[in-house]
Amino acid sequence: MSTLESQTTSIARKVTTQAVMRTVLAEGAISRTDVARLTGLSKQTVSEIVRSLEDDGWLKPSGRTDGRLGRQAITYEINADAAHGLAIDVGGTKVAAAIGDLLGNIKAEVMLPTDPRGGTHLVDHLGRVVEQLAAEAGVALADLRVAVLGTPGVFDPETGHVRIAPNVPGLENIDLRQLMGDRLGCPVIVENDVNLAALGEQWRGQGAELNDFAFVALGTGIGMGIIANRRLVRGARGAAGEISYLPLGADPFDPRNFTVGTLEAAVGAAAITRRFAGYGGPSDRTVKDVFAALAEGDGLAAAAIEETARLVAVTIASVGAVLDPEVVILGGSIGARDELVAAIRRFLPRCTPTPPPIAISRFGNRAGLIGGISVAVAHMLDELFGIPLDQAAPSVGRLLAVSQG
Amino acid sequence: MSTLESQTTSIARKVTTQAVMRTVLAEGAISRTDVARLTGLSKQTVSEIVRSLEDDGWLKPSGRTDGRLGRQAITYEINADAAHGLAIDVGGTKVAAAIGDLLGNIKAEVMLPTDPRGGTHLVDHLGRVVEQLAAEAGVALADLRVAVLGTPGVFDPETGHVRIAPNVPGLENIDLRQLMGDRLGCPVIVENDVNLAALGEQWRGQGAELNDFAFVALGTGIGMGIIANRRLVRGARGAAGEISYLPLGADPFDPRNFTVGTLEAAVGAAAITRRFAGYGGPSDRTVKDVFAALAEGDGLAAAAIEETARLVAVTIASVGAVLDPEVVILGGSIGARDELVAAIRRFLPRCTPTPPPIAISRFGNRAGLIGGISVAVAHMLDELFGIPLDQAAPSVGRLLAVSQG
DNA sequence: CAAATTCGTCAGCGTCGTTGACAAATACAT
DNA sequence: ATGTATTTGTCAACGACGCTGACGAATTTG
């Protein structure tokens, strides 16, 4: 049985079954009577539906109620092992992969160096990694229902190609979705890595419960994932949040800034080391070195980092003016550093009357992977039960509550 | 009968009735057989539902099919007169108001000077205007189901007050929604005027069929309405699109720019006349005068306007980098001027590698009013039939098509 | 142990939507 | 003009769904 419905299920049964699933999903272990109360359905109907869902393996008994008066009830919960999904985060230096169940519990996870040859070699490598991961998680490869792939750059759904991914060689010339789909034998969703990180923070991180926030990743480059009205904003061509092209930090009318991105040239990792050297520091230092020097009280390092913080503050002010986010979450190898964040927090109120609160990514370099798992879960729930993840249970409650009056 | 359901309507009947309404809404005049085909329901069921909807006044026969083989069918369509809504656009100098029916057809419309005393005087004035408008439209005031009020500034749903509305006196200190609601006796929705303009363009203007675009209003000040994923983006505090605070055009760290908005001081109407005077032109000219001088080949006027165009181009580049809109629609008394738009179109490709297309508002100074009508229609459809306007008919088609398999 | 309470199932019933048949209406071919 | 194919619209019968009320089972409270 691949999806919820058998052949002769009526639409009414489907709607009520979805309502039951949503309720169990939202409440966790719950008795049938409580499901009936919450959905407005009768005990009888709920019992029938739960029985059928249990027969099909989507629900399972999980225990009994206690502490309440009267007879104990059997509680039911989602059978998380009924489906599994895969997430892969492909970075310039490392790939991370994880397999999660229907509730997003991670069953196995690895992080490895990226195959430097890129392109189809990368696909092969990922294929082997996933096979091993599946074995470790105790899931047959054929049982994976969806794979979510996070990559730098802009994914074009029309061609299946990734555009503008300078850090991963050979990614732009292959139909990544097609190749990975063939290799894994399941649908593949490709998404920008920073967008996935934003979704990860939305799912179980700093953005949980928020309708509107932005995730700014600061590392080799700078990028942003936008959540507005609880949904990811991709823009018309999937390039929303590509703030490396913001006209800040350099003359926007200088055509040299077209290739790198006006802002990226000013706040990226290279900019910090360049600036450090420009102020008179050694020219062979990495960003990590500069931060180490800052910790030891080096004034040049402080100046180099302050300058970046100042520009990031103006960037956040710009984003704040456009989007009015509830919070801006900082992530990435540089963006999540306390010293930088502290400096940004100092600058921000000085360049905008309404500075958005700043938070540090909860998941660090795993945010993209977590976000990938969340997308996989959302895809599975939608496929299996027709439940959009962003349509939380409360709305269902209302829908059905109306039907009683 | 205030809403769709009678007391004993089951949830199944409600769902199918909604599906029928959505189909008629999307298709216009349509026969019952075609509704059955599109929804996947049986002819019999559709006939029953249409009969009941006709009895309740929501649908009406509209003609007969022809040109097809076989017996002619009676077509049905929405009875647009079954409900009416009101839109009011309150500006600093003028107020516009319109009454529209369930399909958004405008039955009566006026534009008048804003009561300069503001505050409760404004409410009184609007009340009288609406009474006259209702009489003109042939709608009893008590039959208005919703009023949509567009105002400058940021509306706070918690308090019912409008914040930061410098152009309309006394608007910030009254509970506008409450007062208008009491006066009109129907629910009142208050929304930023530029957001409404964006919704207007989305409904039947330059943004129709687009998932992601931005509406930039340039006049006394500068503001933006954002549509992303087909939905209006308001932000956490309703201040999304308040781009007057973008750190462009002046030193963002200069605290003087906090009150006016860094950008607004550089591109607003006052900036054009100030710049014109600064370049050596007469200091008592209005924006209209400056544009007139430009038309006569005045170099000073050209320079003043070019400078604004340059800054607006950078602004649009910023917005483009953040949101990746499919198009940026320009509106407002200044923003919609051809000469300015032409200059902006020249500058834009020089400051960003991915310049979004520029369009000129289709509705001009009526955009906010049209948007208000669209919100009123959406509200009525949702209230009466549970149909969110942004959830178009296609998705319903899919839902029901599945139920057949 | 008795009373109160809650859980879970059974039987009966009404509503909803579908199916198949059939009369009515219309276009097209001859 | 006439007959045939096609489409519309309604009727009756039927099955699926969900609700109600009743009742036994299980558990807490006094």
Side-chain angles (χ1 to χ4, degrees), chain B residues 266-277 287 290-291 304-305 308 334 340:
Chain B
V267 300
I272 293 181
T273 52
R274 174 164 29 80
R275 220 178 272 124
F276 183 60
V287 172
V290 178
F291 272 96
I305 287 168
T308 285
I334 301 177
L340 184 71

Side-chain angles (χ1 to χ4, degrees), chain A residues 54-388:
Chain A
E54 191 183 354
D55 287 346
D56 292 350
W58 303 117
L59 291 182
K60 65 179 185 189
S62 71
R64 311 181 136 268
T65 58
D66 62 342
R68 284 198 276 190
L69 194 61
R71 180 173 166 180
Q72 287 179 336
I74 302 170
T75 60
Y76 289 82
E77 62 183 20
I78 306 282
N79 180 14
D81 284 326
H84 290 86
L86 168 72
I88 307 178
D89 187 3
V90 181
T93 57
K94 289 179 178 171
V95 293
I99 288 177
D101 63 24
L102 188 51
L103 292 179
N105 303 309
I106 291 179
K107 307 302 254 329
E109 180 175 349
V110 288
M111 188 174 286
L112 297 164
T114 306
D115 190 318
R117 296 168 298 175
T120 53
H121 294 284
L122 187 67
V123 173
D124 276 347
H125 182 216
L126 290 178
R128 289 193 303 277
V129 168
V130 171
E131 279 166 9
Q132 197 173 342
L133 200 66
E136 193 182 324
V139 178
L141 199 61
D143 285 349
L144 287 179
R145 288 184 170 269
V146 64
V148 179
L149 204 56
T151 72
V154 175
F155 178 72
D156 183 345
E158 305 275 319
T159 65
H161 290 230
V162 174
R163 291 185 290 118
I164 324 170
N167 300 326
V168 182
L171 206 59
E172 306 188 10
N173 304 318
I174 58 176
D175 188 334
L176 190 60
R177 188 174 46 186
Q178 183 73 49
L179 289 173
M180 286 302 293
D182 292 347
R183 187 73 167 76
L184 298 174
C186 68
V188 173
I189 298 169
V190 183
E191 182 60 81
N192 174 272
D193 52 356
V194 180
N195 283 351
L196 286 186
L199 290 169
E201 296 291 341
Q202 179 186 34
W203 191 38
R204 292 181 174 177
Q206 299 283 4
E209 312 290 317
L210 300 185
N211 294 322
D212 302 84
F213 69 90
F215 179 93
V216 173
L218 196 58
T220 314
I222 184 168
M224 177 172 67
I226 302 168
I227 305 292
N229 297 323
R230 287 194 167 267
R231 290 186 55 191
L232 177 68
V233 174
R234 286 196 186 78
R237 289 151 299 199
E242 291 293 325
I243 49 177
S244 62
Y245 293 105
L246 268 180
L248 301 171
D251 179 5
F253 287 95
D254 183 339
R256 281 178 303 172
N257 295 320
F258 272 23
T259 48
V260 185
T262 307
L263 183 61
E264 189 151 296
V267 301
I272 293 180
T273 53
R274 172 164 31 82
R275 216 176 275 125
F276 183 58
Y279 289 155
S283 62
D284 60 345
R285 298 304 156 87
T286 65
V287 171
K288 191 174 260 183
D289 297 333
V290 178
F291 272 98
L294 170 67
E296 290 171 7
D298 184 313
L300 301 180
I305 288 168
E306 288 257 305
E307 186 58 23
T308 286
R310 194 183 160 99
L311 276 168
V312 173
V314 178
T315 305
I316 292 176
S318 298
V319 169
V322 173
L323 293 172
D324 184 26
E326 197 149 341
V327 64
V328 173
I329 304 171
L330 286 174
S333 58
I334 299 176
R337 298 200 70 126
D338 287 330
E339 313 91 307
L340 184 70
V341 173
I344 293 169
R345 285 204 177 108
R346 275 203 313 279
F347 280 117
L348 195 55
R350 291 172 48 198
C351 62
T352 172
T354 56
I358 304 291
I360 297 182
S361 166
R362 173 164 171 194
F363 297 118
N365 61 352
R366 288 174 73 232
L369 192 66
I370 303 292
I373 290 289
S374 83
V375 171
V377 169
H379 180 87
M380 291 190 286
L381 290 177
D382 187 25
E383 178 198 354
L384 298 170
F385 310 114
I387 301 174

Side-chain angles (χ1 to χ4, degrees), chain B residues 276 279 281 290 293-306:
Chain B
F276 183 60
Y279 288 154
V290 178
L294 170 68
E296 291 171 9
D298 184 314
L300 300 179
I305 287 168
E306 287 259 304

Side-chain angles (χ1 to χ4, degrees), chain B residues 32-33 37 43-44 47 69-74:
Chain B
R32 284 169 290 181
T33 305
R37 260 193 284 274
K43 281 193 301 178
Q44 173 69 357
S47 276
L69 196 61
R71 177 173 167 180
Q72 288 180 335
I74 301 169

Side-chain angles (χ1 to χ4, degrees), chain B residues 169-319:
Chain B
L171 206 59
E172 307 189 9
N173 302 318
I174 58 175
D175 187 332
L176 190 60
R177 187 175 45 186
Q178 183 74 48
L179 290 172
M180 286 302 293
D182 291 348
R183 188 70 167 80
L184 299 173
C186 67
V188 174
I189 298 170
V190 182
E191 182 61 81
N192 173 274
D193 52 357
V194 180
N195 283 351
L196 285 186
L199 291 169
E201 295 290 339
Q202 178 186 36
W203 190 40
R204 291 181 174 176
Q206 299 283 4
E209 311 291 313
L210 301 185
N211 294 320
D212 302 84
F213 70 91
F215 178 94
V216 173
L218 196 58
T220 314
I222 183 169
M224 178 172 66
I226 302 167
I227 305 292
N229 297 321
R230 286 189 169 270
R231 291 184 55 192
L232 177 67
V233 174
R234 287 197 185 77
R237 288 153 299 198
E242 290 295 325
I243 50 178
S244 61
Y245 291 106
L246 268 179
L248 302 171
D251 179 7
F253 287 95
D254 184 338
R256 278 177 306 171
N257 295 320
F258 273 22
T259 47
V260 183
T262 308
L263 182 61
E264 189 150 295
V267 300
I272 293 181
T273 52
R274 174 164 29 80
R275 220 178 272 124
F276 183 60
Y279 288 154
S283 61
D284 59 345
R285 298 302 154 90
T286 66
V287 172
K288 192 174 259 183
D289 297 333
V290 178
F291 272 96
L294 170 68
E296 291 171 9
D298 184 314
L300 300 179
I305 287 168
E306 287 259 304
E307 185 58 24
T308 285
R310 194 181 158 99
L311 276 168
V312 173
V314 178
T315 304
I316 292 176
S318 298
V319 169

